Amino acid sequence: MPRILLDKISKSYDGGQSIAVKELDLQIEDGEFMCLLGPSGCGKTTTLRMIAGLENLTKGEIIVGDRVVDAAAKGVFIPPEQRGIGFVFQSYALWPHLNIEQNTDFGLRMRKIPKKEREERVSHIMKTLGIDQFRDRYPSQLSGGQQQRVALARMLVVNPDVLLLDEPLSNLDSRLRLEMRAELKRIHKVFGTTIIFVTHDQWEAMTLATSIVVMKEGTLQQLGTPEDIYERPANRFVAEFVGNPPINLVDLSQKDSVPFGHKIRKIFLSKYKLKIDISLIGLRPENIILFPELVVQKENHFYSSAIVTGILPIGGSWIVELEIKTIQIFATTNQVPEYKINDQIFFEINLSTIHVFDEKGNRILFSKETE
């Protein structure tokens, strides 16, 4: 499988008035499962369509393997059908008048693959994806998840070098989404295909990808593994976008953050000898450990009291709303709460799990991160 290089690619409309993607630099390695993650309108699908050849670049180059497939300045453009790339759209785009077997082998017939080879490849891929028993049915007779498998089979059977997926699970219910996530992981493992997957669903990205690209307004915010994105967000936007419940942010520019936020700030400035001042503090809800009464304090942990203002069961765990002075934060727990609303409780949080940001919202590195 080829490596894909996006060299400062840009896409604009209306003579440059509307910028969809701005100078995006990316390298997708052979066999990688990369997710483009971000809110609607951030440029994810436009990037995917440029890789596929469905959109022309405004600036930059796209290189697949050793071949330049699109270069605006050089006047180079390789059409989609010559790029060896498969594209699965959000809508399955199955032919309603063809049965499942005919839909699956459509690409092979267009390539004039001999009948015997075509039948062998179609039979293998349909058995692999568990749709062999539906070969004589029509798309309207299948569930959404089954239709999704047919769309994937149609692409995989032609052995594309790269598979592009544009939010293919968004039309499915929660159970089918979970099943198809597992299916996509298995497909990636079995076929080793390079996959680029567009989604706005953070859990899809976290559970599927080997690497995640977080985008905002056409620009790259962070590239990293799921662990990097979640545990070491590059800036405020990434920290807020990834995580459910969302990260708690304490803005030190607001008077309400005193003294809770400034106490954490003081600890960080003295302990880690930071050269950049802290303007924003982030606390993940699952890293806040609750106690009904004060416990023996441990080194490298921050402690505080709070008032319980809400307890929200979410099936096997609880979201606990806390108030510290006038600051509201949320914690999660898997233990049945031993307290009730208006009770005073205590919490601790390991300093290594606290995120700190400068006045521009960029992450401040500390401890092992600075070594």
Side-chain angles (χ1 to χ4, degrees):
M1 304 297 175
R3 182 191 66 172
I4 301 173
L5 179 64
L6 310 184
D7 185 10
K8 294 188 176 356
I9 66 169
S10 297
K11 179 65 179 179
S12 60
Y13 301 94
D14 302 325
Q17 297 299 313
S18 177
I19 298 176
V21 178
K22 184 177 181 181
E23 295 190 349
L24 179 61
D25 270 325
L26 272 183
Q27 183 168 301
I28 302 104
E29 299 295 343
D30 172 22
E32 190 168 0
F33 195 137
M34 176 178 283
C35 275
L36 305 183
L37 175 67
S40 297
C42 73
K44 309 183 299 294
T45 295
T46 301
T47 299
L48 207 67
R49 290 175 64 85
M50 286 191 287
I51 296 171
L54 302 177
E55 296 274 2
N56 294 88
L57 301 183
T58 303
K59 294 180 181 177
E61 291 186 356
I62 297 177
I63 304 170
V64 179
D66 297 324
R67 183 173 64 156
V68 177
V69 298
D70 199 346
K74 299 175 181 177
V76 175
F77 180 79
I78 305 298
E81 65 273 14
Q82 296 178 22
R83 296 193 182 191
I85 292 175
F87 200 121
V88 178
F89 296 89
Q90 183 174 348
S91 58
Y92 311 129
L94 301 177
W95 295 106
H97 64 289
L98 300 181
N99 65 28
I100 300 313
E101 182 177 7
Q102 293 166 333
N103 264 285
T104 303
D105 79 351
F106 183 80
L108 297 178
R109 283 186 280 118
M110 292 297 101
R111 288 167 173 79
K112 302 188 186 312
I113 302 297
K115 182 178 179 181
K116 184 177 179 181
E117 181 184 350
R118 189 171 72 232
E119 289 176 346
E120 289 175 353
R121 288 167 65 171
V122 167
S123 180
H124 172 71
I125 196 71
M126 291 181 73
K127 287 178 180 177
T128 301
L129 295 184
I131 56 175
D132 188 54
Q133 67 271 34
F134 307 130
R135 63 170 59 235
D136 296 323
R137 296 188 189 180
Y138 290 87
S140 61
Q141 297 173 310
L142 301 185
S143 69
Q146 291 163 347
Q147 290 184 50
Q148 182 63 72
R149 294 186 187 194
V150 176
L152 287 169
R154 183 178 58 189
M155 284 294 101
L156 290 171
V157 77
V158 297
N159 295 324
D161 295 330
V162 180
L163 184 59
L164 308 181
L165 306 175
D166 186 11
E167 302 204 41
L169 310 185
S170 60
N171 294 329
L172 306 181
D173 61 38
S174 58
R175 181 179 178 84
L176 282 175
R177 286 168 75 96
L178 182 60
E179 290 177 358
M180 284 308 301
R181 286 179 199 170
E183 189 70 32
L184 284 173
K185 286 284 273 191
R186 189 175 67 83
I187 288 170
H188 182 246
K189 183 177 181 180
V190 171
F191 292 94
T193 305
T194 301
I195 298 177
I196 307 175
F197 184 102
V198 160
T199 183
H200 63 271
D201 186 322
Q202 56 177 297
W203 293 126
E204 280 184 8
M206 298 291 286
T207 55
L208 287 172
T210 55
S211 61
I212 297 175
V213 175
V214 183
M215 297 180 67
K216 175 189 178 186
E217 297 177 353
T219 62
L220 173 66
Q221 300 295 302
Q222 185 172 358
L223 166 62
T225 65
E227 181 184 15
D228 289 333
I229 298 296
Y230 190 77
E231 297 186 1
R232 292 171 288 278
N235 54 41
R236 176 175 185 162
F237 174 79
V238 177
E240 287 187 290
F241 190 78
V242 179
N244 186 26
I247 193 170
N248 298 289
L249 293 176
V250 182
D251 189 344
L252 299 184
S253 66
Q254 299 180 5
K255 294 181 179 180
D256 290 347
S257 64
V258 181
F260 168 64
H262 285 283
K263 186 175 180 182
I264 295 177
R265 172 181 172 274
K266 185 177 181 181
I267 292 172
F268 268 83
L269 290 177
S270 61
K271 182 176 179 62
Y272 299 111
K273 298 179 173 57
L274 300 180
K275 297 179 180 180
I276 303 174
D277 199 10
I278 297 171
S279 296
L280 191 71
I281 293 169
L283 311 172
R284 292 282 186 200
E286 67 274 15
N287 292 327
I288 299 173
I289 311 302
L290 305 175
F291 302 98
E293 54 189 41
L294 190 62
V295 296
V296 177
Q297 299 188 9
K298 293 178 285 189
E299 188 178 358
N300 295 324
H301 284 65
F302 174 80
Y303 292 82
S304 179
S305 61
I307 302 297
V308 177
T309 54
I311 300 175
L312 311 172
I314 52 175
S317 60
W318 290 260
I319 298 175
V320 182
E321 181 184 15
L322 304 173
E323 187 175 278
I324 307 169
K325 299 296 184 181
T326 56
I327 296 176
Q328 179 192 63
I329 66 172
F330 293 91
T332 57
T333 178
N334 294 322
Q335 304 296 321
V336 179
E338 301 176 10
Y339 35 80
K340 56 185 182 295
I341 293 176
N342 293 326
D343 281 357
Q344 182 185 55
I345 63 170
F346 299 86
F347 70 85
E348 71 173 15
I349 183 166
N350 193 315
L351 293 178
S352 66
T353 67
I354 296 177
H355 306 276
V356 290
F357 304 90
D358 62 22
E359 62 180 0
K360 294 182 179 179
N362 295 318
R363 180 179 184 81
I364 300 173
L365 302 180
F366 64 93
S367 188
K368 294 181 179 180
E369 298 181 12
T370 59
E371 295 177 4

